[in-house]
């Protein structure tokens, strides 16, 4: 409530973050796994005295630098741009809690970028031993960067003891940090194989192409063996509500969780019976099919990870609409329009409550809902009477556990209801007015109504 609300018509801010983040994750994990693939494969070429394989590693390093240092860097900036606009309050919290973590990550990132350029431009300038060392330095910095970012990301879903201690160590070494780090490392190895299949399929020499294709398939399969083990460990650390959301409490999330398993299985089956068992028949089209399935797996899995955190942006601390749990009762008594700093209306006009209702929607609902696009609020309330809307708002977090409670005065709730009803008005003979004596119950800091 301390920052202006950025509205993205049709797509919504959350979807914009999701699109950028999924593409970035698909590349940033390759930045780690591919950083391991290069020195390991280069060493293999030296050990086997295989100049053709070494030439492949050299060409793959060009592909690696272009994808990672161009698209990866630009999409990384895009994530900061989007989260800063959509949820500046949560972004500011992450910066303040992890200020030293970000500083350490930026050092690793600088080493990573410098090592990647030296590795690529050092093929004809450095001796084999030094060149390999640079490759290992790159991988070490890339994995260290993943380790730091992973701790920050998992904090948002499993803040653990930080809620009591407010310490950096408790925030970083949260319950989900280690299992998630294992999963992300395994994903990085698997994606190294996915990207290598693409470049290997373009090799002209049949013998080398067959060798590298099967070799890349092994990387993919090894990574996918570890992912389920780490995933089960990670799921065991989640809050109870988060697990329930993915296991039936929210059908859409459950479907996407199932799709994550389905696409993962497809990737494994296609890889095993394709490039691993029959590398001679593997081609570039097949490689792109596997890459698209891997991207689909990344997309639905990241979507589920974000969805199970609802109704919070930082679990048990800040709701998705940036309202802190400790501020619930204060804002309920004071009113959302008087608490928010960037609103155009501060009072509800009894003669025209819709204008104030729209402002309440912008502050409390626009972080997840658009008017007519993705997660459309107009579609959500279509066919609802004023009484139905008011009842839903009054019991929002009880009826929909993945949504924050409505916080504001009774007048603001009715104003929001009036505006929502105006989006898809019912015929007058079907309209039911809300009760004038609707029960308004205070809520605890966790958002649950007090008995």
């Amino acid at each position: 409530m301390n920052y202006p609300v950025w509205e993205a018509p049709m797509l919504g801010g959350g979807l914009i973050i999701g699109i950028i983040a999924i593409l970035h994750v698909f590349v940033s994990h390759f930045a780690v796994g591919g950083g391991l693939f290069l020195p390991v494969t280069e060493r293999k070429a030296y050990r086997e005295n295989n100049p053709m394989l070494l030439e492949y590693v050299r060409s793959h390093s060009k592909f690696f630098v272009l994808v990672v240092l161009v698209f990866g860097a630009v999409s990384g900036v895009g994530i900061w741009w989007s989260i800063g606009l959509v949820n500046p309050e949560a972004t500011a919290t992450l910066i303040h809690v992890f200020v030293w973590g970000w500083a350490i990550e930026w050092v690793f990132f600088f080493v990573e970028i410098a090592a990647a350029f030296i590795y690529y431009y050092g093929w004809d300038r450095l001796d084999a031993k030094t060149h390999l060392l640079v490759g290992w330095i790159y991988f070490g910095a890339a994995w260290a960067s993943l380790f730091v970012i992973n701790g920050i990301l998992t904090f948002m879903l499993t803040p653990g003891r930080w809620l009591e201690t407010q310490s950096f160590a408790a925030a970083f070494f949260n319950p989900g940090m280690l299992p998630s780090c294992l999963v992300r490392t395994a994903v990085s190895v698997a994606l190294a194989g996915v990207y290598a299949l693409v470049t290997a399929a373009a090799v002209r020499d049949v013998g080398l192409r067959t060798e590298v294709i099967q070799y890349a398939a092994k990387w993919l399969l090894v990574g996918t063996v570890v992912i389920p083990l780490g995933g089960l460990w990670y799921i065991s650390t989640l809050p109870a509500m988060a697990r329930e959301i993915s296991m039936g409490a929210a059908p859409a999330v459950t479907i996407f969780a199932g799709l994550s398993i389905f696409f993962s299985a497809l990737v494994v089956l296609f890889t095993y019976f394709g490039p691993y068992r029959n590398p001679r028949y593997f081609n570039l089209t097949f490689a792109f099919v596997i890459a698209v399935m891997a991207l689909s797996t990344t997309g639905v899995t990241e979507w589920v990870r974000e969805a199970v955190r609802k109704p919070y942006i930082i679990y048990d601390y800040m709701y998705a609409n940036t309202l802190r749990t400790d501020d619930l009762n204060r804002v309920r008594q004071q009113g959302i329009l008087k608490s928010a700093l960037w609103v155009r209306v501060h009072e509800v006009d009894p003669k025209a409550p819709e204008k104030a209702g729209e402002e309440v929607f912008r502050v409390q609902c626009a972080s997840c809902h658009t008017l007519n696009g993705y997660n459309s609020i107009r579609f959500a309330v279509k066919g609802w009477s004023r009484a139905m809307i008011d009842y839903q708002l009054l019991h929002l977090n009880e009826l929909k556990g993945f949504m924050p409670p409505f916080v504001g005065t009774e007048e603001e709730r009715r104003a929001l209801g009036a505006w929502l009803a105006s989006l898809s008005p019912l015929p007058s003979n079907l309209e039911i007015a809300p009760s004038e004596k609707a029960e308004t119950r205070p809520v605890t800091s966790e958002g649950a109504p007090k008995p």
Side-chain angles (χ1 to χ4, degrees):
M1 296 187 299
N2 296 322
Y3 297 90
V5 176
W6 183 64
E7 295 180 88
M10 300 306 293
L11 290 179
L15 186 58
I16 290 175
I17 293 175
I19 292 171
I20 297 173
I22 287 168
L23 293 174
H24 179 73
V25 166
F26 193 64
V27 171
S28 64
H29 284 65
F30 170 55
V32 179
L36 178 62
F37 180 87
L38 286 170
V40 168
T41 310
E42 182 183 358
R43 185 173 178 273
K44 172 180 168 67
Y46 289 136
R47 189 175 63 249
E48 297 175 358
N49 193 25
N50 189 339
M52 294 181 68
L53 179 60
L54 190 63
E55 186 59 32
Y56 163 76
V57 178
R58 179 172 183 158
S59 65
H60 186 70
S61 69
K62 181 177 182 179
F63 169 79
F64 176 84
V65 165
L66 289 174
V67 172
V68 171
L69 299 190
V70 179
F71 183 83
V74 171
S75 59
V77 173
I79 289 178
W80 277 103
W81 170 80
S82 58
I83 66 173
L85 286 173
V86 175
N87 210 319
E89 190 79 47
T91 304
T93 299
L94 293 180
I95 291 173
H96 291 142
V97 173
F98 294 102
V99 62
W100 291 112
W102 292 116
I104 294 168
E105 195 276 332
W106 290 334
V107 172
F108 289 139
F109 183 67
F110 177 80
V111 174
E112 185 181 343
I113 296 298
F117 277 120
I118 294 171
Y119 184 85
Y120 174 67
Y121 287 105
W123 279 103
D124 297 322
R125 295 175 174 86
L126 302 174
D127 61 85
K129 184 177 180 180
T130 304
H131 192 258
L132 267 175
L133 178 61
V134 172
W136 286 114
I137 290 173
Y138 170 85
F139 169 69
W143 187 85
S145 181
L146 178 148
F147 181 79
V148 174
I149 296 296
N150 172 75
I152 297 172
L153 290 177
T154 52
F155 160 80
M156 297 175 72
L157 180 54
T158 55
R161 291 178 56 251
W162 176 84
L163 295 170
E164 291 81 36
T165 67
Q166 304 286 296
S167 72
F168 172 83
F172 185 79
F173 294 101
N174 59 80
M177 192 273 284
L178 286 178
S180 177
C181 187
L182 176 62
V183 171
R184 290 186 180 277
T185 301
V187 168
S188 299
V189 172
L191 286 180
V194 170
Y195 281 87
L197 285 174
V198 173
T199 57
V203 172
R204 293 180 180 275
D205 184 85
V206 176
L208 178 64
R209 183 171 68 246
T210 301
E211 176 188 354
V212 177
I213 285 173
Q214 193 170 53
Y215 174 71
K218 291 178 182 177
W219 279 73
L220 197 162
L221 294 173
V222 167
T224 55
V225 167
V226 179
I227 292 171
L229 302 177
L232 291 174
W233 182 15
Y234 177 69
I235 291 172
S236 71
T237 68
L238 299 181
M241 176 59 76
R243 287 198 298 272
E244 291 172 9
I245 286 176
S246 66
M247 295 178 182
V253 181
T254 304
I255 290 171
F256 271 70
L259 286 174
S260 174
I261 298 172
F262 174 72
F263 284 128
S264 298
L266 281 184
V267 170
V268 172
L269 290 173
F270 272 60
T271 302
Y272 180 77
F273 289 106
Y276 181 71
R277 292 291 300 272
N278 300 285
R280 284 186 172 274
Y281 302 102
F282 189 76
N283 54 41
L284 196 56
T285 301
F286 201 157
F288 278 116
V289 168
I290 291 178
V292 169
M293 289 191 295
L295 176 60
S296 301
T297 305
T298 302
V300 295
T301 304
E302 289 294 312
W303 190 89
V304 169
R305 184 182 63 81
E306 289 291 317
V308 298
R309 197 171 60 225
K310 297 295 179 68
Y312 302 98
I313 189 71
I314 300 175
Y315 216 87
D316 283 335
Y317 175 75
M318 182 184 293
Y319 284 107
N321 55 14
T322 75
L323 185 65
R324 288 180 171 84
T325 56
D326 289 345
D327 295 332
L328 287 182
N329 286 327
R330 176 183 63 80
V331 175
R332 180 179 286 276
Q333 294 170 6
Q334 182 176 318
I336 192 72
L337 295 177
K338 292 183 179 179
S339 301
L341 300 181
W342 297 84
V343 291
R344 294 165 290 195
V345 178
H346 297 278
E347 299 281 351
V348 177
D349 182 356
K351 297 180 180 179
E354 292 83 2
K355 191 171 183 180
E358 184 176 7
E359 285 297 299
V360 174
F361 171 82
R362 290 179 65 249
V363 175
Q364 288 216 39
C365 316
S367 58
C368 296
H369 292 279
T370 65
L371 181 58
N372 296 305
Y374 174 74
N375 208 12
S376 164
I377 194 65
R378 188 190 298 274
F379 178 79
V381 301
K382 186 176 181 179
W384 287 8
S385 66
R386 286 275 300 277
M388 176 66 170
I389 292 173
D390 192 65
Y391 183 83
Q392 290 277 335
L393 293 176
L394 187 61
H395 302 279
L396 194 58
N397 57 306
E398 299 172 76
L399 296 171
K400 298 177 173 65
F402 49 85
M403 292 184 67
F406 174 82
V407 181
T409 64
E410 183 176 347
E411 290 75 18
E412 289 170 339
R413 190 189 75 245
R414 293 188 182 280
L416 175 58
W419 181 75
L420 292 174
S422 72
L423 299 179
S424 300
L426 291 175
S428 58
N429 62 320
L430 297 178
E431 183 60 76
I432 302 174
S435 170
E436 295 299 325
K437 296 182 179 180
E439 178 188 11
T440 301
R441 289 181 286 172
V443 294
T444 65
S445 60
E446 290 78 22
K450 287 183 178 180

